[in-house]
Amino acid sequence: MSLLTPPGAGRSSEVAGGRRRDPQTRRRGRLNRSDSRRLRLSILGVIGLALLVTLVVRLWYLQVVTSEQFVAQAVGNIIRTVPEPAPRGRIFDVQGRELVGNRIVNVVTMDAFILRDQIGPSQRRRLALELSRQLSRSGVLTKSVELTEALGDPAYGPFDRIPLAVGVSDSIKVFLAERNEEFPGVEVVRRTQRVYPYGDLAAHVLGYIDTITAEEIEARRNHPKRYSTVDEVGKSGVELAFEDILRGIPGWREIEVDNVGNVVRERGYRAPQPGTDVVLTIDADLQKLVEDELLRGLREARERQDESVEDSFVTFAAPAGAAVVLDPRNGNVLAMASYPGYDPRVFIGGISEEEFDAFVHPASHAPLNNRAIQGVYAPASTMKPITSYAALSTGLLGPDGFLGVTQTSEDPGYHVLADCVGECEFENPDRAPNGDVDLRLAIAVSSDVYFYKLAEQFSRRTGYDEDQIQQTARDFGFGRTTGVALPFEHAGIVPDAEIKRARNESNPEAFPDPDWRTGDTINISIGQGDLGVTPLQLANSFTTFANGGLLYLPNIAVGMVDPISGEMVTEIRPRLTSRIYLPADLRAPLLDGMQGATTLRTNERVGTAQKAFNGFPHDLWPVAGKTGTAEVLGKADSAVFVGFGPLPEPRYLVTVLLEESGFGGEAAAPVVRRVLEAIAVDRIPEAPVGIPRQDLAGPPAGGPA
């Protein structure tokens, strides 16, 4: 080995196994392995950092952005907002007597959330069975099947309290409160309930309330007073017409509950605000008198023989009727009655399907219908004063002459149309002659022949409208609703050539004749044919004769009263709708004729209502009126009478209609006479409080069961 050779130089070029490696190569290998580790660590760091950033962002989102949402959800599991219904406004008569009020009652309810979340079908049935037993033992007769149906009613929302029984005792309230485990979700709460101090008095006017339907909730979706599935709303009468006024503003109670629904504490409360009170134009004493006399008139009709039925002793069916009393000076409705009636108290707490079916069964004669505004009847001879006005106002008839030529016209009991083909002869009832009659006598004795001749002239004389009688009828309010603040009012019908033609086109078999004929005009002139009015329309039309031509929109209420202060917040004033030209010279013969109907009695002539008003104090309280006997196809005649007084400035106008009861002078006029006489001598009995008249519900005595 040379001394110049560096130490270990000979070994540095050798590697075990005979392979030689360069030192520089070894250093580069060590550097490459180090860079790779750093790269991997860098990648892992980036991933870790990304995960950390994602976690931080998520935590920020959950804690900051959506914290309120999750807090609300968490709190919602234990915080419940329970609506608290507001008391409805009360309803008073014109004298300030409470006709409909409120009282506090205990109501057994079921928590819908617990019912549907924690109770199975079998447990639900057991709960209904045991609860019905306990309620029935306490005096509130309850069927388990009714409770089961209520518990399964899908109309209730998930957080509603489902009402199960109304009017339970405080002992049941304590009993159920001590047995939460046996009756989970069941609680007795205090709510207001409608109370009727005068029983079923004025039921059709007042109406009734019942549980709101899904359709009604949808119609009131954005109502400011908020409706829920457990609320009760007006279904008819004033309760429905003044729903927005009578309904209060619901309150709420915010409570904290545990996982089984037990109340832990109350967290917030807003008291409900009661609805506004309504004061009606109805007088309770007069209303009671009218209802009683209406029923009496129907009972008397059922005891009389229907002489139109030969060879058989058949009494009148007299199944139904209506009566209206108006103040002709302002159009206020002082009384309104309809028979058969119903007791609104049966709807308290809900009514079963079986009970409701009984109301709508044909044999019950529709007791829920207010015949005073929904029943449509032929006005019969009460139409004759309007026909007379049509002739007087157009100059066809002079005040003292017939057709402007003679003062009288002969009534032989029948009239034959000139130039007529087919049915050309028209008769008085029983073809009875009345001799020579003028306008006054024709009204007093109700001569059909006189008005047949009068109506014929409208069809034959040039310069006169063939439909003048119909035009005049519309001027007096026929063919349209009166506008009274009660729901479901019928407009009636005033037939004319256009309506007759349309009926023929739609149903030619039932209405084969498309043409308007003189005979149609004649039928309209005496209130027969297809002419149809409601008792309220008829009463309102006659107020124009009583007050000299003013036609009012009938008022059923005088105003609204604040329930707290008792002050009138809204006053409803008389509403004049139109003026009918009725100067003294046109009005006098009409009033004379109608007064003669109640007073005329000579050897030859008798007013159609004279017998009914015999002995009435005419000298102190003069009365005018008009009878009507409406023909009904396939049934007995319906009786009609309109009377008003005292003349010359009447304050009361009474209209009575009795279905299938015979002549107006025999059946309806006595009812009006008794009502007006009680008013005239100031002997209207005081309406008793809390005495129901059971015979006003369901089918009439002697009628179909």
Side-chain angles (χ1 to χ4, degrees):
M1 178 182 299
S2 172
L3 294 174
L4 298 175
T5 303
R11 294 190 304 269
S12 63
S13 60
E14 297 178 358
V15 179
R19 186 178 179 182
R20 301 173 60 91
R21 296 188 65 183
D22 186 16
Q24 295 294 329
T25 301
R26 289 198 300 269
R27 285 197 296 271
R28 285 197 298 271
R30 287 195 296 269
L31 289 174
N32 289 339
R33 287 195 297 272
S34 175
D35 291 343
S36 176
R37 283 196 298 271
R38 284 197 297 270
L39 178 61
R40 287 197 295 270
L41 289 175
S42 298
I43 293 173
L44 290 176
V46 170
I47 294 174
L49 181 61
L51 292 175
L52 180 62
V53 170
T54 301
L55 179 61
V56 171
V57 170
R58 181 61 179 170
L59 289 174
W60 174 82
Y61 175 78
L62 292 176
Q63 295 182 8
V64 178
V65 177
T66 63
S67 62
E68 295 184 1
Q69 174 185 344
F70 286 101
V71 167
Q73 291 181 359
V75 173
N77 292 330
I78 59 173
I79 303 299
R80 301 276 299 278
T81 300
V82 180
E84 188 162 329
R88 289 177 70 85
R90 298 165 295 178
I91 304 174
F92 297 90
D93 84 337
V94 71
Q95 304 296 336
R97 291 171 289 194
E98 186 180 273
L99 300 178
V100 183
N102 301 302
R103 66 174 177 177
I104 303 297
V105 295
N106 292 327
V107 180
V108 178
T109 65
M110 179 69 194
D111 190 320
F113 177 78
I114 293 179
L115 173 70
R116 293 167 183 173
D117 187 61
Q118 302 181 16
I119 299 178
S122 59
Q123 186 180 0
R124 184 181 303 177
R125 288 191 293 271
R126 289 196 299 271
L127 186 149
L129 179 61
E130 183 59 28
L131 186 58
S132 67
R133 288 175 179 171
Q134 298 300 332
L135 292 175
S136 297
R137 288 175 183 173
S138 71
V140 181
L141 186 61
T142 308
K143 297 179 181 179
S144 62
V145 64
E146 295 176 351
L147 295 183
T148 302
E149 291 176 356
L151 293 174
D153 192 340
Y156 294 107
F159 300 108
D160 286 337
R161 296 210 64 89
I162 304 172
L164 302 177
V166 179
V168 301
S169 64
D170 289 337
S171 60
I172 281 292
K173 181 177 182 179
V174 174
F175 176 85
L176 294 175
E178 294 175 346
R179 292 165 175 80
N180 287 338
E181 296 79 9
E182 297 179 38
F183 303 97
V186 176
E187 181 184 0
V188 178
V189 299
R190 295 173 68 81
R191 293 182 180 173
T192 59
Q193 180 190 77
R194 274 320 212 190
V195 61
Y196 302 86
Y198 288 88
D200 52 19
L201 184 72
H204 291 97
V205 174
L206 300 174
Y208 66 94
I209 64 172
D210 203 354
T211 305
I212 193 169
T213 64
E215 293 77 11
E216 290 168 329
I217 289 181
E218 180 62 28
R220 296 172 169 86
R221 176 177 296 275
N222 297 318
H223 198 281
K225 292 185 178 180
R226 302 191 315 279
Y227 286 83
S228 67
T229 54
V230 298
D231 284 336
E232 292 181 316
V233 295
K235 299 289 186 174
S236 67
V238 170
E239 292 278 22
L240 173 56
F242 291 84
E243 170 67 26
D244 289 347
I245 303 298
L246 294 168
R247 179 170 174 79
I249 300 177
W252 51 264
R253 190 180 301 275
E254 192 176 73
I255 57 175
E256 183 177 340
V257 297
D258 58 20
N259 62 340
V260 294
N262 295 318
V263 178
V264 176
R265 60 172 173 161
E266 183 175 301
R267 298 174 63 96
Y269 175 70
R270 188 179 72 181
Q273 301 177 29
T276 303
D277 297 334
V278 175
V279 180
L280 304 183
T281 56
I282 297 292
D283 181 278
D285 296 338
L286 182 59
Q287 178 72 25
K288 172 66 164 54
L289 172 68
V290 170
E291 289 186 6
D292 288 348
E293 292 300 339
L294 174 63
L295 178 57
R296 178 181 172 184
L298 290 168
R299 285 175 171 169
E300 290 175 347
R302 295 174 200 149
E303 297 172 357
R304 289 199 312 274
Q305 181 181 1
D306 184 356
E307 297 179 355
S308 66
V309 181
E310 298 180 359
D311 303 326
S312 173
F313 185 82
V314 177
T315 58
F316 289 102
V324 177
V325 182
L326 297 180
D327 184 341
R329 299 171 299 177
N330 52 30
N332 284 350
V333 180
L334 306 181
M336 179 182 289
S338 179
Y339 179 89
Y342 70 96
D343 192 333
R345 291 172 293 186
V346 302
F347 291 92
I348 294 176
I351 185 172
S352 69
E353 185 175 348
E354 181 181 356
E355 290 174 316
F356 189 80
D357 288 343
F359 277 120
V360 299
H361 193 280
S364 67
H365 299 288
L368 297 180
N369 285 1
N370 183 353
R371 283 174 162 79
I373 61 172
Q374 293 175 264
V376 179
Y377 309 92
S381 291
T382 59
M383 178 66 184
K384 290 174 181 176
I386 295 176
T387 300
S388 300
Y389 177 81
L392 289 169
S393 62
T394 58
L396 178 65
L397 181 64
D400 296 315
F402 183 77
L403 306 181
V405 179
T406 61
Q407 291 187 349
T408 62
S409 175
E410 183 183 2
D411 175 3
Y414 64 94
H415 175 63
V416 180
L417 290 181
D419 303 326
C420 174
V421 177
E423 294 291 335
C424 301
E425 186 173 280
F426 294 82
E427 302 176 342
N428 285 335
D430 299 326
R431 207 178 175 86
N434 289 300
D436 289 339
V437 292
D438 62 5
L439 177 61
R440 292 168 170 82
L441 281 175
I443 294 175
V445 302
S446 201
S447 168
D448 285 349
V449 168
Y450 184 94
F451 291 95
Y452 295 154
K453 294 180 178 180
L454 197 60
E456 186 179 7
Q457 299 305 310
F458 281 115
S459 295
R460 301 196 183 282
R461 285 201 170 193
T462 59
Y464 292 93
D465 294 333
E466 187 178 28
D467 65 346
Q468 183 61 53
I469 297 176
Q470 292 100 307
Q471 294 179 35
T472 303
R474 295 188 182 97
D475 290 340
F476 278 80
F478 292 175
R480 66 174 187 270
T481 58
T482 66
V484 67
L486 290 174
F488 315 126
E489 183 185 12
H490 201 291
I493 183 171
V494 179
D496 54 25
E498 183 179 348
I499 292 176
K500 188 175 183 182
R501 188 180 307 109
R503 285 179 170 180
N504 169 262
E505 293 174 354
S506 63
N507 191 347
E509 293 185 4
F511 305 97
D513 186 3
D515 299 323
W516 187 267
R517 303 183 186 279
T518 302
D520 296 317
T521 303
I522 283 179
N523 281 331
I524 295 296
S525 72
I526 62 168
Q528 302 289 357
D530 293 328
L531 181 63
V533 301
T534 68
L536 179 60
Q537 280 179 322
L538 183 59
N540 206 40
S541 70
F542 266 72
T543 61
T544 58
F545 300 123
N547 63 33
L550 304 179
L551 189 65
Y552 289 96
L553 189 156
N555 276 337
I556 197 67
V558 296
M560 294 74 173
V561 175
D562 185 281
I564 307 300
S565 66
E567 297 180 355
M568 183 79 73
V569 294
T570 304
E571 182 179 0
I572 301 176
R573 298 183 179 276
R575 294 171 286 178
L576 183 65
T577 59
S578 63
R579 295 176 182 267
I580 293 175
Y581 178 70
L582 194 59
D585 61 333
L586 296 187
R587 183 184 179 213
L590 302 176
L591 287 182
D592 290 346
M594 286 187 278
Q595 189 170 6
T598 64
T599 59
L600 177 66
R601 185 174 185 84
T602 67
N603 292 333
E604 299 177 350
R605 310 278 172 69
V606 178
T608 53
Q610 188 279 330
K611 182 179 179 181
F613 279 83
N614 186 31
F616 188 88
H618 292 288
D619 53 338
L620 299 176
W621 224 83
V623 171
K626 186 68 192 77
T627 56
T629 305
E631 297 177 358
V632 183
L633 184 64
K635 297 181 179 179
D637 296 335
S638 291
V640 192
F641 188 80
V642 184
F644 51 90
L647 299 175
E649 297 179 354
R651 302 190 302 274
Y652 296 88
L653 185 146
V654 184
T655 296
V656 169
L657 186 143
L658 308 178
E659 296 181 15
E660 301 178 57
S661 298
F663 289 109
E666 292 181 354
V671 176
V672 176
R673 181 258 170 86
R674 290 192 291 264
V675 171
L676 289 178
E677 187 169 19
I679 295 172
V681 300
D682 195 21
R683 292 181 183 173
I684 302 176
E686 183 177 350
V689 175
I691 300 179
R693 294 179 300 288
Q694 298 297 335
D695 51 6
L696 282 181

